[in-house]
Amino acid sequence: SRSADNHFTGKTRRMQANLFNALLIQTAIPIFFSYLPLGIILIFPVVTGIPLGAFGNVLFSITAISPCVDAFFVLFFIGRFRLAVIRLFRLPFDHHVSST
């Protein structure tokens, strides 16, 4: 079979592992910062009869975080993107760090 003939280099495997980790984080961020707070806002008062008040406002504000931080995780997990950001902003980091 063709899939048995696929032999990836270590560099390719590391890149795929990094992309997979970034995908997991990109999936978790909306769950914790969007879906979960909105679920609490919608379900908690209906089930308990207790209004959330200021806490509901905080939860609703948290839902705006998800789109803002999503891209940062991709930049962090992908080595070449991370190095590009370091070079772009001339950050004081060692430029000889190996990238994946």
Side-chain angles (χ1 to χ4, degrees):
S1 83
R2 182 165 171 83
S3 63
D5 296 335
N6 289 337
H7 298 287
F8 296 114
T9 64
K11 188 174 183 179
T12 302
R13 289 189 188 278
R14 281 191 306 274
M15 181 187 66
Q16 288 179 344
N18 288 339
L19 288 171
F20 180 72
N21 289 335
L23 182 63
L24 289 177
I25 294 295
Q26 283 183 309
T27 303
I29 293 296
I31 289 172
F32 290 112
F33 290 109
S34 192
Y35 305 134
L36 191 62
L38 285 174
I40 292 170
I41 290 169
L42 295 174
I43 295 172
F44 185 80
V46 173
V47 173
T48 64
I50 302 170
L52 292 174
F55 184 65
N57 293 339
V58 170
L59 287 175
F60 193 73
S61 297
I62 288 174
T63 61
I65 293 173
S66 175
C68 300
V69 299
D70 199 32
F72 289 118
F73 290 102
V74 174
L75 292 175
F76 175 76
F77 277 106
I78 309 302
R80 290 184 184 200
F81 291 168
R82 185 174 51 243
L83 289 175
V85 170
I86 289 170
R87 289 182 185 136
L88 177 68
F89 292 108
R90 298 183 179 136
L91 298 174
F93 292 105
D94 185 13
H95 293 291
H96 302 292
V97 176
S98 67
S99 65
T100 56

